[in-house]
Amino acid sequence: MSARFGPAGNSESFRQMGYKKTMDVPDYLLKLGLDHYEYQCGRGVRISEEQARAFGEKSREKGISLSVHAPYYISLSGIEEEKRLGSIEYILQTVRVAKAMGAQHIVVHSGSCAKLSREKALELSKDTLKRALQAMEEEGLGSVTVCPETMGKTGQLGTLEEVLALCQADERLLPCVDFGHLYARTFGEMNGAESYEAALKSIQNALGESRARSFHVHFSRIAFTRPGGEKRHLTFSDETFGPEYPPFIELIHRYSLSPIIVCESAGTQAEDAKAMKDCYMQLKNR
């Protein structure tokens, strides 16, 4: 299997090229030479299951695989149990449309530490995810994989180690490793072949070879501040902040990994995803 590349939502060029509707997305991606799309439900699940099925069918016809980003307001580690467990319903809403689309993965923010210790926040997030997986099984939705995401702000739960600890709670969980977020929360340290390779080894050591070969990736340049971490997403044309993608793509090729790689650049996510895919294909074809 090969890595797959695509954008999170639509670039500015989507409308500039004359496309208007969600059903136009597969044609747009095919024209750009991409093969994956992450449907955005960050502000809520607003697509019906019927619409999701139609979108999924057209995407499959065009050779586009799919993932779905769950609502941002999910609170895996919320102090108020009612609100925390309410997040299970938001996960189920996301999984239902993902299942209808034929999407492989949903991406979920890992949680916030707020007034909690990181250890307590991690414990609560594990419990919420386990309950969500049980609810998914009861609805026959177990074929969709939940991907807790590494986060960019230092006050958020979501270091690589914390996300791997979450995924160790159940083999049905797969990490969404956002290298831009890790770059931001480490103030630029996660940038380059050595740090990328260390991250890949950590994933394999924690989760085994199978999950390490097919994990979910987000990649973009991100501006950061100290001590907070992530400030805003940028484009690949920015030369002030990282991380740099070529060393990462080189490692993906060298180790024959097959992750889904989603670009979250600000407004040029499709074009920047294509830059990563071009880099990857050049390595494969040389």
Side-chain angles (χ1 to χ4, degrees):
M1 292 180 64
S2 297
R4 301 181 72 86
F5 297 82
N10 298 330
S11 289
E12 293 171 1
S13 62
F14 180 76
R15 293 193 176 277
Q16 292 169 358
M17 292 170 63
Y19 298 105
K20 296 180 180 179
K21 301 177 181 178
T22 298
M23 290 298 289
D24 294 332
V25 166
D27 291 320
Y28 166 71
L29 296 177
L30 191 64
K31 188 170 185 177
L32 291 178
L34 296 169
D35 48 23
H36 187 81
Y37 184 71
E38 188 152 291
Y39 188 89
Q40 301 297 289
C41 291
R43 292 175 175 80
V45 179
R46 299 174 181 175
I47 183 172
S48 70
E49 291 183 40
E50 181 180 358
Q51 292 170 325
R53 272 188 289 273
F55 180 61
E57 287 173 6
K58 184 170 183 182
S59 296
R60 283 189 294 279
E61 289 173 4
K62 303 295 182 178
I64 308 296
S65 58
L66 299 170
S67 53
V68 183
H69 200 301
Y72 300 137
Y73 46 76
I74 285 174
S75 180
L76 296 182
S77 58
I79 298 174
E80 298 176 26
E81 185 166 355
E82 183 176 351
K83 181 178 180 181
R84 181 170 66 88
L85 298 183
S87 293
I88 294 172
E89 178 55 33
Y90 298 134
I91 291 174
L92 288 173
Q93 289 172 9
T94 308
V95 173
R96 288 174 193 134
V97 297
K99 178 82 169 180
M101 281 184 194
Q104 302 168 334
H105 301 160
I106 71 159
V107 176
V108 179
H109 285 180
S110 297
S112 173
C113 294
K115 298 178 181 179
L116 299 170
S117 68
R118 303 194 76 88
E119 293 76 15
K120 182 61 177 177
L122 186 64
E123 179 185 329
L124 290 172
S125 290
K126 282 182 183 179
D127 179 67
T128 308
L129 285 171
K130 287 179 179 178
R131 297 189 191 207
L133 291 171
Q134 178 61 37
M136 287 166 57
E137 289 292 339
E138 291 171 359
E139 281 198 34
L141 301 171
S143 62
V144 177
T145 300
V146 178
C147 303
E149 182 178 3
T150 60
M151 302 303 295
K153 291 184 171 62
T154 56
Q156 293 172 314
L157 193 70
T159 64
L160 178 59
E161 293 74 20
E162 287 165 345
V163 166
L164 293 178
L166 287 175
C167 291
Q168 285 176 320
D170 196 290
E171 63 181 13
R172 294 169 290 180
L173 299 168
L174 192 70
C176 173
V177 183
D178 189 316
F179 285 89
H181 283 165
L182 293 178
Y183 167 87
R185 76 178 301 140
T186 62
F187 312 122
E189 290 183 12
M190 176 63 76
N191 190 20
E194 185 176 347
S195 58
Y196 297 154
E197 187 163 24
L200 295 176
K201 288 181 178 178
S202 292
I203 297 168
Q204 181 168 347
N205 289 339
L207 304 179
E209 184 175 351
S210 177
R211 283 195 280 177
R213 292 180 66 83
S214 59
F215 66 107
H216 200 86
V217 173
H218 283 176
F219 210 104
S220 61
R221 290 181 182 265
I222 294 184
F224 64 83
T225 58
R226 297 174 185 268
E230 177 187 2
K231 182 178 181 182
R232 66 179 182 276
H233 285 241
L234 304 168
T235 70
F236 280 5
S237 63
D238 183 89
E239 297 182 353
T240 304
F241 292 93
E244 303 291 338
Y245 70 84
F248 173 69
I249 299 300
E250 164 65 32
L251 288 166
I252 293 299
H253 169 69
R254 185 193 308 171
Y255 293 120
S256 300
L257 305 180
S258 53
I260 291 169
I261 301 176
V262 174
C263 185
E264 291 192 313
S265 292
T268 60
Q269 54 267 53
E271 290 77 9
D272 292 351
K274 184 59 164 58
M276 288 192 287
K277 184 175 181 181
D278 287 347
C279 178
Y280 177 72
M281 294 308 297
Q282 287 170 8
L283 292 169
K284 285 195 73 173
N285 296 331
R286 69 184 180 184

